[in-house]
Amino acid sequence: MAQSIFLSASVKPQLSFKVEFRAKRLEKLLDTPARIYYKYEGGSPAGSHKPNTAVPQVWYNAHQGVKNVVTETGAGQWGVRWLLRAACLISTVWQVRASYDQKPYRKLMMQTWGAKVHPSPSNITQAGRKILENDPSSPGSLGIAISEAVEVATKNADTKYCLGSVLNHVLLHQTVIGEECIKQMEAIGETPDVIIGCTGGGSNFGGLAFPFIREKLSGKINPLIRAVEPAACPSLTKGVYAYDYGDTAGMTPLMKMHTLGHDFIPDPIHAGGLRYHGMAPLISHVYELGFMETLAIAQTECFAGAIQFARSEGLIPAPEPTHAIAATIREALHCRETGESKVILMAMCGHGHFDLPAYDKYLQGGLVDLSFSEERIKASLANIPQPGLKQTV
Amino acid sequence: MAQSIFLSASVKPQLSFKVEFRAKRLEKLLDTPARIYYKYEGGSPAGSHKPNTAVPQVWYNAHQGVKNVVTETGAGQWGVRWLLRAACLISTVWQVRASYDQKPYRKLMMQTWGAKVHPSPSNITQAGRKILENDPSSPGSLGIAISEAVEVATKNADTKYCLGSVLNHVLLHQTVIGEECIKQMEAIGETPDVIIGCTGGGSNFGGLAFPFIREKLSGKINPLIRAVEPAACPSLTKGVYAYDYGDTAGMTPLMKMHTLGHDFIPDPIHAGGLRYHGMAPLISHVYELGFMETLAIAQTECFAGAIQFARSEGLIPAPEPTHAIAATIREALHCRETGESKVILMAMCGHGHFDLPAYDKYLQGGLVDLSFSEERIKASLANIPQPGLKQTV
């Protein structure tokens, strides 16, 4: 333990900040016999788990001689993290309009690091202009922002597009989270009974869960693995499992995944990083195989849990992991009823330093649960392409 | 090193986040033969070195059965950190008006943790009302905010006042910074030639410097120790060494220190934590003994250095440590001229997540150097009490 304090100067920031804590004060507050552990990824310079994949992606691009990189961001977290290392390249980021307006500090952070940041939908791309024609006040979505960034990459030979979630290589990079957790839990002699993470595109959740699923399949442990999504964008709990586009304009290859339809635009909840119509194909597959379970929680319950967490544990979570926190609190309260001393392991994937206006709104009573429109989902599901007719990845 | 990644779950957050890095990319950017190390304290839940003293202060108060604590904050850092652990007590914070307006997120963070936050000067106290009578648009100062918090504490038996800098016990708590640095530098076989920190009340600088001064006095090492203050509030470089009040209203005991006069109100520079008229008595004493040197730097040079640091090292510094960064860059550029491979150790005492509007202003060309008024300092120096006539600590 003493050694852990005196980190060598050669330790890389993105590694040394990834720590796991026991939420003893939260346990006490909830009066639960459960033991709650959380993996905190918010201590990285950019404040979330995203550098785990931003660093290798930039590294490969830089070594290939790529000069410009483009990407999108929903919450500003991926965008921010991207910039962290992309400072050596010229970077352009399309930030979803809802997040661009709600989280000006994330934009400023990217600009401080030297990026160009556009709100999405923008007038710069054909995809953006098309959306704005139909709805000039569109809050945007990750799907639209991806279309814009991809369009620019396809039109410029020296430019590469990079994605912060969903794809296989991103989930692979993020498994460092779960691998570390396995070692950390072993080191303190604990075995998780329930593993909880929030899901948008799925990289944080997959990064935590997949190494544990490997252990589960090998028969070593048998934890429940639980994904938590926002009630306003429930691709796993209310979507269909089908081939669909990763972006709104239909520029990406088709992917087999749980989807609400590629032109579904979720309401502008504060967890911008979870506002994605689809789900990582790998997570969708694992879900179909029955290796994990899902639930959807609305944002007021999430912020209520986040306040309990912040006031007991000191860390203020980003809106995304508040979903994992709310589900953890549900489980811990269930343990209080049953008397079970379950070990809960939760992904606390980023801090909420740039989301404080959302906390303010919640504390002032102004935060509401945005309804999930069955009508809208029916309409967007109708636009999913028919399987077998298009290319697939 | 491997062990450092797998921190035990029992490690306390305020310890495990205190890490030291070598600024290799900044060295490369500056093309300097100097080796630059920085101690980063911004990874704590609240984002600076302040929990080092907030935690023990709250601990002692809680164990004494104190129900209410009051304090002040200049940058929102101390206030924020205070709240981190004071969540178990009822906390009221007077935040300097300039900072309350410039840094709304810091206020929101304190409120999220459950604090009451008042801008200072406020109408709640006699001291605040007196200032507002003379200047209804007063930007406030740490001296005024201290007067307000102290006044409330003196009038309520169940309430204790706590200070985040200046006093001996605060500097003592902060020496954990320097003690860790000594072990960390030893672990990598380096000896610092120059040690640099920013000074407001002096706790961050003293915390780093004092353990090294002990080593210096014992003849083991001989580093230059350099304090950097803002040009707009230069208590060490332009103040007098005299008995003066720690607050504006003159409610505290007199302290022998370098001071610009207790009623000096510095211009509202962005480094709110450095806007204090005085200097820790211990640092003032050490300065008089010749164990350290000082310089003052204006804020545009500081932000220019901060941008270089952020773009090369990834971390965005709070406005306070940008002073240490600017001085470090000066030293590193001097080394480039002389060819010396000096080892520089710098205190990077907090992140700038809540100061991004200041970066925006700088990047837009709107940040100016606020002039230091010789007239105003002459006026406030005239109001310093005569030594020998009043009580002292």
Side-chain angles (χ1 to χ4, degrees):
Chain A
M1 189 180 122
Q3 270 187 302
S4 69
I5 302 172
F6 308 120
L7 294 171
S8 151
S10 65
V11 175
K12 292 192 184 70
Q14 67 274 18
L15 293 181
S16 62
F17 285 110
K18 299 156 63 63
V19 289
E20 186 178 288
F21 300 115
R22 180 165 171 192
K24 283 190 184 170
R25 290 185 293 271
L26 180 63
E27 292 170 15
K28 200 177 161 191
L29 178 73
L30 301 172
D31 190 24
T32 177
R35 296 195 291 286
I36 303 171
Y37 293 90
Y38 59 96
K39 178 74 164 171
Y40 182 50
E41 297 273 331
S44 77
S48 88
H49 66 298
K50 294 289 187 183
N52 293 336
T53 182
V55 173
Q57 288 195 51
V58 171
W59 190 88
Y60 285 116
N61 273 289
H63 279 254
Q64 281 186 4
V66 173
K67 296 292 173 219
N68 300 294
V69 289
V70 290
T71 189
E72 79 300 318
T73 185
Q77 294 179 336
W78 161 244
V80 160
R81 278 125 206 85
W82 177 258
L83 262 292
L84 174 62
R85 281 302 172 106
C88 50
L89 309 175
I90 297 169
S91 311
T92 311
V93 180
W94 273 265
Q95 184 174 11
V96 172
R97 167 62 79 179
S99 149
Y100 187 90
D101 292 339
Q102 279 171 354
K103 303 172 188 186
Y105 280 42
R106 283 231 169 83
K107 174 191 66 189
L108 293 177
M109 196 178 212
M110 291 186 271
Q111 289 169 337
T112 298
W113 277 323
K116 262 186 255 177
V117 186
H118 303 296
S120 168
S122 76
N123 273 314
I124 297 165
T125 67
Q126 208 176 324
R129 285 191 295 270
K130 201 177 158 191
I131 297 286
L132 288 174
E133 270 168 33
N134 291 328
D135 179 8
S137 63
S138 166
S141 71
L142 273 166
I144 297 169
I146 293 171
S147 295
E148 296 203 87
V150 168
E151 183 183 319
V152 171
T154 55
K155 288 184 179 167
N156 296 279
D158 62 348
T159 301
K160 285 267 175 96
Y161 165 74
C162 298
L163 189 66
S165 190
V166 180
L167 302 180
N168 297 357
H169 63 284
V170 180
L171 271 66
L172 173 70
H173 296 151
Q174 292 292 357
T175 54
V176 67
I177 300 172
E179 298 294 357
E180 285 188 1
C181 279
I182 288 172
K183 285 188 190 291
Q184 289 173 321
M185 296 301 275
E186 272 173 11
I188 54 169
E190 289 276 37
T191 306
D193 297 304
V194 189
I195 293 171
I196 298 174
C198 65
T199 43
S203 76
N204 153 63
F205 175 79
L208 173 66
F210 281 9
F212 282 99
I213 291 176
R214 179 193 66 214
E215 301 293 294
K216 190 174 176 166
L217 291 174
S218 75
K220 288 186 200 162
I221 53 173
N222 192 27
L224 274 179
I225 294 174
R226 192 171 290 160
V228 193
E229 52 188 14
C233 192
S235 59
L236 282 167
T237 52
K238 299 223 177 178
V240 297
Y241 188 43
Y243 283 97
D244 196 7
Y245 295 110
D247 70 318
T248 301
M251 302 185 71
T252 72
L254 288 171
M255 293 181 286
K256 191 165 186 189
M257 60 179 178
H258 288 84
T259 176
L260 297 163
H262 61 275
D263 54 6
F264 178 75
I265 298 178
D267 285 325
I269 54 168
H270 283 276
L274 308 184
R275 291 180 66 240
Y276 184 62
H277 66 274
M279 180 51 59
L282 283 175
I283 289 179
S284 298
H285 181 62
V286 161
Y287 182 42
E288 286 297 311
L289 292 174
F291 297 155
M292 52 174 275
E293 55 184 48
T294 62
L295 76 162
I297 303 185
Q299 67 178 351
T300 54
E301 181 179 342
C302 296
F303 273 90
I307 292 285
Q308 288 187 299
F309 186 87
R311 291 188 181 170
S312 56
E313 293 301 312
L315 297 166
I316 297 180
E320 290 78 8
T322 65
H323 292 76
I325 289 170
T328 297
I329 290 174
R330 280 191 189 182
E331 183 67 35
L333 293 177
H334 179 71
C335 286
R336 184 170 72 186
E337 279 172 32
T338 63
E340 291 169 288
S341 301
K342 284 187 187 170
V343 174
I344 305 170
L345 172 60
M346 176 190 94
M348 220 296 252
C349 60
H351 66 61
H353 295 176
F354 305 117
D355 306 285
L356 287 163
Y359 279 90
D360 189 35
K361 206 170 170 186
Y362 172 76
L363 291 171
Q364 308 278 347
L367 199 78
V368 294
D369 285 332
L370 299 170
S371 61
F372 173 76
S373 158
E374 297 283 351
E375 287 307 307
R376 229 166 60 213
I377 173 78
K378 224 177 267 176
S380 63
L381 286 178
N383 293 330
I384 293 178
Q386 294 308 305
L389 299 177
K390 306 240 179 174
Q391 70 172 121
T392 61
V393 288
Chain B
M1 188 182 119
Q3 270 188 303
S4 69
I5 301 172
F6 308 120
L7 292 172
S8 152
S10 65
V11 175
K12 293 191 182 70
Q14 68 274 16
L15 293 181
S16 61
F17 284 109
K18 299 155 65 62
V19 289
E20 186 177 287
F21 300 114
R22 180 166 170 192
K24 283 189 184 171
R25 290 186 294 271
L26 180 63
E27 292 169 17
K28 200 176 161 192
L29 179 72
L30 300 173
D31 189 24
T32 176
R35 298 195 292 285
I36 302 172
Y37 294 90
Y38 60 96
K39 177 74 163 172
Y40 182 49
E41 298 272 331
S44 78
S48 88
H49 66 297
K50 294 290 187 183
N52 294 336
T53 182
V55 173
Q57 287 196 49
V58 171
W59 190 88
Y60 284 117
N61 274 289
H63 279 253
Q64 281 186 4
V66 172
K67 296 291 172 220
N68 300 293
V69 289
V70 290
T71 189
E72 80 299 320
T73 186
Q77 294 178 336
W78 161 244
V80 160
R81 280 125 206 87
W82 177 258
L83 261 293
L84 174 62
R85 282 303 171 106
C88 51
L89 308 175
I90 297 169
S91 310
T92 312
V93 180
W94 274 264
Q95 184 174 11
V96 172
R97 167 62 79 177
S99 150
Y100 187 91
D101 292 339
Q102 280 171 353
K103 302 173 188 185
Y105 280 43
R106 283 233 169 83
K107 172 190 67 190
L108 294 176
M109 195 177 213
M110 290 188 270
Q111 289 169 338
T112 298
W113 277 321
K116 263 185 254 175
V117 185
H118 303 295
S120 168
S122 76
N123 274 315
I124 297 165
T125 66
Q126 209 176 324
R129 284 191 296 271
K130 200 176 157 193
I131 297 284
L132 288 173
E133 271 168 33
N134 291 329
D135 180 7
S137 64
S138 166
S141 72
L142 273 165
I144 297 169
I146 294 171
S147 295
E148 295 204 87
V150 168
E151 182 183 319
V152 170
T154 55
K155 288 184 178 166
N156 296 279
D158 62 347
T159 301
K160 285 266 174 97
Y161 166 73
C162 299
L163 189 67
S165 188
V166 180
L167 302 180
N168 297 356
H169 63 284
V170 180
L171 270 67
L172 173 70
H173 297 151
Q174 293 292 358
T175 53
V176 66
I177 300 172
E179 298 294 356
E180 285 187 1
C181 279
I182 287 173
K183 286 189 190 290
Q184 288 173 321
M185 296 301 275
E186 272 174 9
I188 54 169
E190 288 278 37
T191 306
D193 297 305
V194 188
I195 293 171
I196 298 174
C198 66
T199 43
S203 75
N204 154 64
F205 175 80
L208 174 64
F210 281 9
F212 282 99
I213 291 177
R214 178 193 64 215
E215 301 292 295
K216 189 173 176 167
L217 290 175
S218 75
K220 289 185 200 161
I221 53 174
N222 192 26
L224 273 179
I225 295 174
R226 192 171 291 160
V228 192
E229 52 188 12
C233 191
S235 58
L236 282 167
T237 51
K238 299 223 180 179
V240 297
Y241 189 43
Y243 283 97
D244 196 7
Y245 295 110
D247 70 318
T248 301
M251 303 185 71
T252 70
L254 287 172
M255 294 181 287
K256 192 164 186 190
M257 61 180 177
H258 287 84
T259 177
L260 297 164
H262 60 275
D263 55 7
F264 179 76
I265 299 178
D267 284 325
I269 53 169
H270 283 276
L274 308 185
R275 291 180 67 239
Y276 184 62
H277 66 274
M279 180 50 59
L282 284 175
I283 290 179
S284 297
H285 181 62
V286 161
Y287 183 41
E288 286 298 311
L289 292 175
F291 297 155
M292 51 175 276
E293 55 184 48
T294 63
L295 77 162
I297 302 184
Q299 66 178 350
T300 53
E301 181 180 342
C302 296
F303 273 90
I307 293 286
Q308 289 187 299
F309 186 88
R311 291 188 181 170
S312 56
E313 293 300 311
L315 297 166
I316 297 181
E320 290 79 8
T322 65
H323 291 76
I325 290 169
T328 297
I329 290 174
R330 281 192 188 181
E331 183 67 34
L333 293 177
H334 179 71
C335 286
R336 185 170 72 187
E337 280 172 33
T338 63
E340 291 167 288
S341 301
K342 284 188 187 170
V343 174
I344 305 170
L345 172 60
M346 176 190 94
M348 220 296 252
C349 59
H351 65 60
H353 295 175
F354 305 118
D355 306 285
L356 287 163
Y359 279 90
D360 189 35
K361 207 169 169 187
Y362 173 77
L363 291 171
Q364 309 278 346
L367 199 78
V368 293
D369 284 332
L370 299 171
S371 62
F372 173 76
S373 157
E374 297 283 350
E375 287 307 308
R376 227 166 62 215
I377 172 76
K378 224 177 266 178
S380 63
L381 286 178
N383 293 331
I384 293 178
Q386 293 308 304
L389 300 176
K390 305 241 179 176
Q391 70 176 123
T392 62
V393 287

